């Protein structure tokens, strides 16, 4: 998994409040993954679905554990 790529994409999303809102509205995990994969492709990167799924799970774990 290319953690540098995920860092770059995360920075891109954090800078764009409209993009954050669009991603936040996606309640279906498949739609969310597809949107992030499309964002990566638009930025000239290729993301493997398995890597994206793992990164999403890691993000969820971090979110749930943030105040523990």
């Amino acid at each position: 998994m290319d953690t540098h790529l995920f860092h770059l994409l995360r920075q891109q999303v954090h800078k764009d409040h409209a993009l954050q809102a669009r991603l936040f509205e996606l309640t279906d995990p498949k739609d969310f993954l597809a949107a992030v994969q499309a964002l990566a492709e638009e930025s000239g990167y290729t993301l493997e679905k398995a890597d994206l799924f793992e990164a999403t799970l890691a993000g969820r774990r971090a979110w749930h554990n943030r105040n523990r």
Side-chain angles (χ1 to χ4, degrees):
M1 175 181 348
D2 186 349
T3 56
H4 180 67
L5 170 59
F6 287 107
H7 178 72
L8 292 175
L9 286 172
R10 188 177 299 119
Q11 283 182 328
Q12 185 176 348
V13 171
H14 286 178
K15 291 178 184 177
D16 186 337
H17 296 290
L19 178 57
Q20 289 176 35
R22 285 197 316 265
L23 291 174
F24 187 74
E25 289 176 355
L26 299 173
T27 57
D28 184 321
K30 290 180 184 179
D31 291 341
F32 178 80
L33 294 175
V36 173
Q37 191 168 26
L39 174 64
E41 290 174 3
E42 290 169 9
S43 300
Y45 302 109
T46 301
L47 275 177
E48 297 295 327
K49 288 182 182 182
D51 288 342
L52 181 56
F53 181 73
E54 287 299 319
T56 302
L57 288 179
R60 286 182 185 163
R61 280 190 297 271
W63 176 259
H64 289 291
N65 294 329
R66 70 190 183 282
N67 292 323
R68 290 184 181 195

